[in-house]
């Protein structure tokens, strides 16, 4: 049978009947009317009415999806919705589930809730491929995608504290200097190589290995520094070539007004960034009378006393972003560089096709940038970048609770503030305080009465977290003795056996129409949570957002003070001299 059945044009069209229509038709038949007459009156097929008359229990299985709803589904709509919400929450925390992990979770979810599953699920200890395919089809908001590698520092540094500090500094400088849109700039570097990423090409289906010509195996890197303002304008780029000496002919094919510098590795240095600042002041027309705000990251070439002195002398206010937050707070990274890289690769691939037998050199890169710059740096893209980051228009509340979910994984108390924790809080880490409001515990409206013996503990509140507050009719969750049985299925009963008496009990009186209780996915597999800190942080303190031109004295001291690397080299040289003397 095909996975996605396509109905033939000549096949009979099935009608979706409401539950009320079918019940009214059956009531008329019970009153003595003929099946043929009722079928003609209500427009229902006679065989359909006969089926419902033989087995009236089918009437209770009709849901909002209509009479054609497949009763063979393993999970109910509410249970599957809870599973969907759990999967989406894990993905927003940057701990998304793979296909195999989701299938295994579905099997455990069905087993704990005493669902009837196929024999193949039990033998493989995971759900089947057919169920997963149907699960993805029934929930179009889900998609199986390859995630972008995100470091732990980038995931955890983007938190409310760092973002609030940045917007406080931004508000301070905007109120002090009254910056307008054309005076608010953002600059950042990106790398352009001589080897393109191969696009998809058309080949035969039976070919296993497909090749595409590139200019080299690895290629050379050229750093390009761009600057854009909140009005949608861009200044000419600044190139850093991997050469010892720079020549003006390097940027001859680049955009008009381009400048450059050289460094053996092709990376940005303090010396090169000072030259970029001269280039920036020239095209932004910054001066003491015309103050300009420049937002940049915390790279060591930017946070330097020479750069700060030059910026302050020419009326440029430097505001740094929080560390590892450029993917969320930097307009160039948010809305422009992805488009630039895609168009740059396309332009390079077209050049390789048009010039067979030739290789791309670093002197061709400015020409590629010039070709795609007008499209990548469009005014709509630039304005979108400043708007999405909340820089202009100024919007400190641009980020929601979901954007900070990844920080909740490592949001822990320090060692001095840790309190005595029981085993239950370790076995089931609580993340309810960091989850968005729609994941908090809710009261379930029903005709039943809930009698609580005492307030639930912190560890028990994890079990009572509903994944979506809008699902008002969802079943209650298991706690107390039934939760022990659920954990025992996963082989974790030993971890919580000693704490079964600590869990607060909640008794629920159900009427005959109440749905059975279920175990939510976060009970089976708790949301990721880091262990408590073992010791206080020592050594180098993490960076933070700063207004560099506001405190140049501290930078003077930091610049004059010897770095740890210099101290180590000095000590090592002294030891070498002492050994030679001996």
């Amino acid at each position: 049978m095909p996975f996605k059945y396509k109905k033939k044009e000549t096949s009979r069209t099935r009608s979706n009947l409401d539950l009320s229509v079918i019940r009214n038709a059956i009531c008329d038949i019970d009153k003595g009317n003929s099946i043929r007459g009722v079928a003609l009156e209500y427009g229902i097929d006679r065989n359909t009415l006969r089926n419902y008359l033989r087995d009236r229990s089918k009437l209770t299985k009709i849901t909002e999806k209509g009479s054609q709803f497949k009763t063979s589904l393993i999970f109910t709509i509410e249970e599957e919705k809870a599973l969907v919400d759990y999967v989406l929450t894990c993905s927003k925390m940057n701990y998304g589930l793979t296909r195999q992990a989701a299938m295994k979770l579905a099997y455990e979810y069905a087993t704990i809730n005493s669902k009837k599953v196929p024999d193949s699920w039990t033998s493989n200890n995971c759900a089947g491929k057919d169920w997963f395919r149907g699960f993805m089809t029934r929930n179009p908001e889900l998609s199986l995608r390859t995630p972008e590698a995100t470091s732990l520092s980038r995931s955890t540094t983007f938190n409310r504290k760092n973002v609030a500090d940045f917007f406080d500094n931004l508000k301070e400088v905007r109120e002090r200097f009254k910056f307008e849109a054309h005076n608010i700039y953002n600059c950042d570097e990106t790398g352009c190589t001589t080897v393109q990423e191969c696009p998809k090409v058309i080949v035969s289906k039976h070919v296993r290995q497909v090749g595409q010509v590139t200019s080299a195996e690895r290629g050379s890197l050229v750093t390009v520094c761009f600057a854009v303002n909140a009005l949608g304008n861009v200044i000419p780029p600044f190139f850093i070539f991997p050469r010892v000496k720079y020549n003006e002919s390097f940027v001859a094919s680049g955009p008009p007004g381009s400048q450059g510098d050289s460094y053996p590795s092709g990376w940005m240095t303090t010396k090169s960034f000072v030259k970029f600042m001269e280039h920036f002041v020239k095209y932004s027309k910054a001066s003491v009378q015309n103050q300009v705000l420049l937002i940049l990251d915390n790279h060591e070439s930017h946070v330097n006393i020479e750069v700060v002195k030059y910026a302050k002398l020419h009326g440029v206010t430097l505001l740094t972003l929080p560390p590892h937050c450029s993917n969320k707070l930097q307009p160039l990274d948010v809305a422009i560089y992805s488009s630039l890289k895609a168009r740059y690769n396309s332009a390079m691939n077209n050049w390789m096709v048009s010039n067979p037998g030739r290789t791309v050199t670093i002197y061709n890169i400015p020409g590629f940038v010039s070709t795609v710059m007008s499209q990548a740096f469009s005014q709509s893209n630039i304005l979108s970048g400043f708007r999405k980051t909340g820089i202009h228009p100024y919007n400190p509340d641009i980020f929601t609770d979901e954007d900070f979910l990844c920080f909740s994984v490592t949001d822990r108390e320090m060692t001095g503030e840790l309190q005595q924790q029981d085993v239950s809080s370790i076995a089931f880490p609580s993340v309810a305080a960091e989850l968005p409001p729609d994941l908090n515990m809710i009261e379930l409206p029903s005709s039943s009465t809930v009698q609580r013996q005492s307030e639930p503990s912190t560890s028990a509140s994890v079990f009572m977290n509903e994944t979506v507050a809008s699902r008002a009719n969802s079943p209650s969750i298991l706690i107390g003795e039934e939760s022990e049985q659920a954990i025992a299925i996963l082989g974790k009963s030993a971890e919580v056996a000693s704490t079964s008496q600590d869990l607060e009990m909640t008794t629920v009186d159900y009427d005959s129409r109440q749905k059975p209780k279920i175990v939510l996915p976060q009970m089976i597999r708790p949301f990721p949570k880091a262990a408590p800190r073992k010791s206080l942080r020592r050594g180098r303190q993490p960076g933070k957002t700063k207004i560099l031109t506001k405190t140049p004295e501290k930078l003077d001291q930091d610049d004059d003070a010897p770095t740890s690397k210099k101290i180590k080299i000095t000590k090592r040289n002294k030891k070498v001299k002492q050994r030679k003397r001996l």
Side-chain angles (χ1 to χ4, degrees):
M1 179 178 179
F3 294 114
K4 291 186 178 181
Y5 175 75
K6 294 182 179 180
K7 188 182 297 185
K8 297 180 181 179
E9 296 180 357
T10 57
S11 61
R12 182 171 58 92
T13 303
R14 295 177 178 268
S15 59
N16 291 326
L17 301 177
D18 294 334
L19 177 61
S20 59
V21 176
I22 299 177
R23 285 179 174 175
N24 293 336
I26 292 178
C27 289
D28 290 347
I29 296 174
D30 293 338
K31 293 178 181 179
N33 297 328
S34 64
I35 296 178
R36 179 186 295 272
V38 173
L40 293 174
E41 179 181 356
Y42 288 93
I44 304 175
D45 188 82
R46 285 177 294 173
N47 294 327
T48 302
L49 285 177
R50 290 193 183 98
N51 291 334
Y52 282 112
L53 287 172
R54 292 194 199 100
D55 187 6
R56 301 201 179 196
S57 62
K58 292 182 179 181
L59 293 173
T60 61
K61 300 178 181 180
I62 301 178
T63 63
E64 63 271 13
K65 288 192 175 182
S67 59
Q68 296 182 14
F69 176 68
K70 296 181 179 179
T71 58
S72 60
L73 291 177
I74 295 175
F75 301 111
T76 63
I77 296 177
E78 292 81 6
E79 293 168 349
E80 190 164 289
K81 183 63 177 175
L83 184 60
V84 170
D85 294 330
Y86 176 83
V87 172
L88 291 178
T89 303
C90 288
S91 65
K92 293 172 184 176
M93 299 173 74
N94 291 346
Y95 285 87
L97 274 66
T98 62
R99 175 179 176 177
Q100 191 66 25
M103 293 165 61
K104 186 175 182 180
L105 176 62
Y107 167 72
E108 297 171 352
Y109 188 32
T111 305
I112 290 178
N113 288 288
S114 302
K115 297 292 182 179
K116 184 179 179 181
V117 298
D119 296 337
S120 59
W121 286 35
T122 306
S123 59
N124 298 328
N125 290 330
C126 69
K129 294 181 180 179
D130 293 340
W131 173 88
F132 181 79
R133 187 179 291 105
F135 174 72
M136 299 295 290
T137 304
R138 291 189 299 272
N139 300 278
E141 66 271 23
L142 300 180
S143 176
L144 192 63
R145 300 176 57 183
T146 301
E148 182 179 353
T150 305
S151 65
L152 184 62
S153 299
R154 190 173 292 275
S155 297
T156 58
T157 308
F158 185 76
N159 53 60
R160 291 189 177 277
K161 175 65 170 57
N162 291 338
V163 174
D165 291 344
F166 168 74
F167 279 105
D168 289 344
N169 290 336
L170 179 61
K171 182 180 179 181
E172 178 182 346
V173 296
R174 293 193 66 163
E175 291 180 349
R176 180 180 178 183
F177 298 102
K178 307 297 181 183
F179 289 119
E180 297 181 2
H182 65 278
N183 286 334
I184 300 177
Y185 283 85
N186 170 230
C187 78
D188 188 33
E189 300 90 1
T190 186
C192 295
T193 66
T194 57
V195 178
Q196 81 277 14
E197 296 181 6
C198 297
K200 292 184 178 180
V201 294
I202 302 175
V203 297
S204 174
K205 286 186 176 180
H206 306 288
V207 177
R208 185 177 182 85
Q209 186 175 4
V210 180
Q212 182 77 0
V213 174
T214 59
S215 60
E217 294 290 340
R218 295 182 60 182
S220 302
L221 174 72
V222 174
T223 300
V224 188
C225 187
F226 294 94
V228 294
N229 66 3
L231 200 61
N233 299 325
V234 56
I235 69 171
F238 189 86
F239 297 87
I240 310 295
F241 292 91
R243 292 292 182 266
V244 177
K245 294 182 179 181
Y246 172 73
N247 195 302
E248 292 292 340
S249 61
F250 292 175
V251 294
S253 60
S258 301
Q259 293 293 327
D261 195 17
S262 62
Y263 189 73
S265 64
W267 295 352
M268 178 67 78
T269 61
T270 303
K271 178 183 175 182
S272 298
F273 194 73
V274 172
K275 293 183 178 180
F276 168 77
M277 288 298 299
E278 297 174 357
H279 176 70
F280 173 77
V281 169
K282 175 183 176 182
Y283 286 95
S284 64
K285 303 186 184 302
S287 63
V288 179
Q289 293 77 20
N290 183 30
Q291 294 282 337
V292 170
L293 173 62
L294 181 60
I295 301 173
L296 65 171
D297 55 33
N298 276 290
H299 192 264
E300 60 182 359
S301 61
H302 304 166
V303 186
N304 188 275
I305 190 61
E306 297 180 13
V307 176
V308 173
K309 286 181 177 180
Y310 183 86
K312 196 167 186 179
L313 185 63
H314 292 82
V316 180
T317 302
L318 299 179
L319 174 60
T320 61
L321 297 167
H324 308 292
C325 295
S326 59
N327 61 322
K328 296 282 189 178
L329 290 173
Q330 185 148 246
L332 284 168
D333 283 340
V334 171
I336 299 174
Y337 278 162
S338 59
S339 175
L340 174 68
K341 291 298 182 66
R343 298 179 187 278
Y344 175 83
N345 282 322
S346 178
M348 187 183 298
N349 185 74
N350 294 338
W351 188 92
M352 291 293 299
V353 173
S354 303
N355 298 270
R358 297 180 59 185
T359 59
V360 177
T361 64
I362 59 174
Y363 309 113
N364 299 120
I365 292 180
F368 297 147
V369 174
S370 177
T371 302
V372 303
M373 190 171 174
S374 60
Q375 297 175 328
F377 286 84
S378 63
Q379 188 178 26
S380 60
N381 286 354
I382 298 174
L383 295 179
S384 176
F386 279 92
R387 182 177 61 256
K388 289 182 178 179
T389 54
I391 295 177
H392 185 82
Y394 179 75
N395 185 9
D397 301 323
I398 190 69
F399 300 105
T400 62
D401 294 336
E402 293 183 354
D403 297 319
F404 299 107
L405 270 180
C406 52
F407 169 69
S408 64
V409 178
T410 56
D411 186 17
R412 303 164 290 186
E413 296 178 345
M414 301 302 292
T415 305
E417 302 174 357
L418 289 177
Q419 300 177 355
Q420 188 70 19
Q421 297 184 352
D422 54 359
V423 182
S424 61
S425 63
I426 299 177
F428 302 98
S430 176
V431 296
E434 299 297 335
L435 295 178
D438 60 343
L439 297 181
N440 291 337
M441 182 181 63
I442 64 172
E443 295 292 338
L444 301 176
S446 64
S447 59
S448 61
T449 58
V450 180
Q451 300 176 351
R452 301 183 184 273
Q453 296 181 0
S454 61
E455 291 295 329
S457 62
T458 303
S459 58
S461 65
V462 180
F463 301 129
M464 305 183 69
N465 285 342
E466 285 291 348
T467 50
V468 173
S470 61
R471 193 169 54 258
N473 295 324
S474 59
S476 303
I477 60 174
L478 277 179
I479 58 175
E481 296 179 354
E482 294 180 359
S483 65
E484 279 189 297
Q485 299 175 2
I487 302 301
I489 296 178
L490 298 178
K492 296 183 179 179
S493 58
E495 300 180 7
V496 296
S498 61
T499 63
S500 59
Q501 298 179 356
D502 297 336
L503 296 176
E504 299 293 343
M505 300 292 296
T506 302
T507 61
V508 183
D509 297 333
Y510 293 93
D511 58 12
S512 59
R513 295 173 297 177
Q514 185 69 20
K515 294 182 180 180
K517 297 179 290 183
I518 66 170
V519 179
L520 294 179
Q522 55 264 38
M523 295 174 55
I524 303 171
R525 176 176 173 173
F527 291 111
K529 186 70 174 179
R533 297 183 186 273
K534 295 182 179 180
S535 60
L536 293 173
R537 185 183 180 92
R538 296 180 179 179
R540 179 174 174 267
Q541 295 297 322
K544 60 180 181 180
T545 175
K546 297 179 181 179
I547 306 175
L548 297 181
T549 51
K550 182 180 177 181
T551 56
E553 293 80 11
K554 188 176 186 303
L555 286 175
D556 282 331
Q557 297 175 3
D558 295 341
D559 187 72
D560 296 336
T563 60
S564 58
K565 186 176 181 180
K566 292 181 180 179
I567 294 175
K568 291 180 181 180
I569 294 175
T570 304
K571 290 183 179 180
R572 186 172 56 189
N573 293 338
K574 287 183 179 180
K575 290 182 180 180
V576 172
K577 290 181 180 180
Q578 290 177 358
R579 290 176 182 176
K580 288 182 178 180
R581 290 177 183 176
L582 295 176

